[in-house]
Amino acid sequence: MGKIPKRMSKAAGRVVAARTDRTAVSRQLWDGLVRFNREQAGPFRYARTILSVRDSRGRLLGGLILQSYWRESYVELLWLSARARGAGFGSRLIEEAERRARRRGSHLIHLNTYSFQAPGFYEKHGYQRFGRISGSPRGESRYFYVKRLTPANLQRP
């Protein structure tokens, strides 16, 4: 048997589930990952944008959360209440998210959705499915989509 590499000999420890100070541990983990990512790929340029749809009284009808970093953007969620669905708000939200992604220099935008949610909606808006996980929840699938923001569509007409 050969020598154990130094890197492995320093890694003594154990795996434990955080029970107290979970917020602090979570923050430390994120800080570690962000630091590593910056070292590997340069400035993160992270931004989180929250778009909302509101009725005339200011009540929340739905919205979209967009995360942007490096040269990509991610639709964390898009949700509309039952009474707001079918009124064009989803299209307006996704178009505004794409506009903001282009403006900040993103070359692509990506998201995931379940088979019981809105895969056809995203396909109608030019998103290409690149992955699928079946069986969770039972009888359903999770789909992964991307839309490349090429020079032809980086500028809004």
Side-chain angles (χ1 to χ4, degrees):
M1 281 237 219
K3 264 179 124 177
I4 296 175
K6 274 189 168 186
R7 187 174 63 189
M8 290 183 66
S9 65
K10 286 196 248 175
R14 60 192 169 112
V15 175
V16 296
R19 297 193 195 290
T20 60
D21 295 327
R22 294 189 317 202
T23 300
V25 172
S26 177
R27 176 56 30 216
Q28 289 174 331
L29 293 171
W30 274 112
D31 288 348
L33 179 61
V34 168
R35 193 171 34 258
F36 174 81
N37 287 347
R38 282 185 179 136
E39 290 168 3
Q40 302 305 309
F44 206 48
R45 293 187 51 231
Y46 179 80
R48 191 167 194 239
T49 303
I50 301 170
L51 305 172
S52 64
V53 175
R54 299 198 175 260
D55 68 11
S56 60
R57 292 187 176 137
R59 291 180 296 212
L60 185 68
L61 297 175
L64 182 147
I65 300 174
L66 181 70
Q67 295 183 39
S68 297
Y69 39 87
W70 291 308
R71 293 169 65 172
E72 65 186 81
S73 292
Y74 170 65
V75 177
E76 182 180 347
L77 71 78
L78 189 163
W79 170 79
L80 290 168
S81 64
R83 66 183 242 224
R85 291 181 199 138
F89 292 121
S91 293
R92 289 169 53 191
L93 285 166
I94 202 74
E95 289 164 6
E96 179 63 14
E98 291 172 13
R99 186 186 72 74
R100 289 171 179 267
R102 286 183 187 98
R103 189 173 71 202
R104 77 173 311 279
S106 291
H107 288 208
L108 63 87
I109 187 167
H110 58 102
L111 57 91
N112 65 77
T113 189
Y114 287 95
S115 52
F116 59 85
Q117 290 175 329
F121 168 81
Y122 297 110
E123 291 167 6
K124 181 178 93 175
H125 286 278
Y127 287 77
Q128 302 285 316
R129 186 179 350 155
F130 68 88
R132 173 183 169 183
I133 300 171
S134 298
S136 177
R138 178 184 252 165
E140 303 291 347
S141 295
R142 186 174 193 174
Y143 298 116
F144 298 84
Y145 286 93
V146 66
K147 183 174 184 177
R148 301 216 178 266
L149 302 175
T150 60
N153 67 5
L154 279 173
Q155 298 301 317
R156 191 172 195 175

